Amino acid sequence: MKKQTAVEYLIQEIKHAACVKSKSMSEWNEVFEKAKEMEREQIVRAADHNFSYDDTDYPTLGELYYNETYGGDK
């Protein structure tokens, strides 16, 4: 199964809502938060590509890159 990008997820949710029913503002906020988290994870994975870590107590290079570039944790 192909992984879904944050943008693909968001488009799918918008199309589904247009066809089935409108979402409440609270439901849209959940969709947006999930899309933002997916994007963060994708950026971290991309920055970590080709690196291996044995110690999970410390942030990975991808996490450090994300926090430095986009302004902090999740």
Side-chain angles (χ1 to χ4, degrees), residues 8-53:
E8 290 170 333
Y9 163 76
L10 196 52
I11 290 169
Q12 174 187 324
E13 288 295 314
I14 291 168
K15 285 181 178 179
H16 183 264
C19 291
V20 178
K21 70 171 186 105
S22 296
K23 292 184 183 297
S24 68
M25 191 51 113
S26 174
E27 290 171 316
W28 277 118
N29 283 333
E30 288 179 31
V31 169
F32 296 146
E33 288 303 314
K34 181 175 178 182
K36 288 189 326 187
E37 178 61 21
M38 290 172 73
E39 181 182 32
R40 187 191 76 77
E41 290 172 1
Q42 291 163 1
I43 290 168
V44 168
R45 271 197 314 275
D48 280 344
H49 189 67
N50 291 329
F51 292 99
S52 174
Y53 298 94

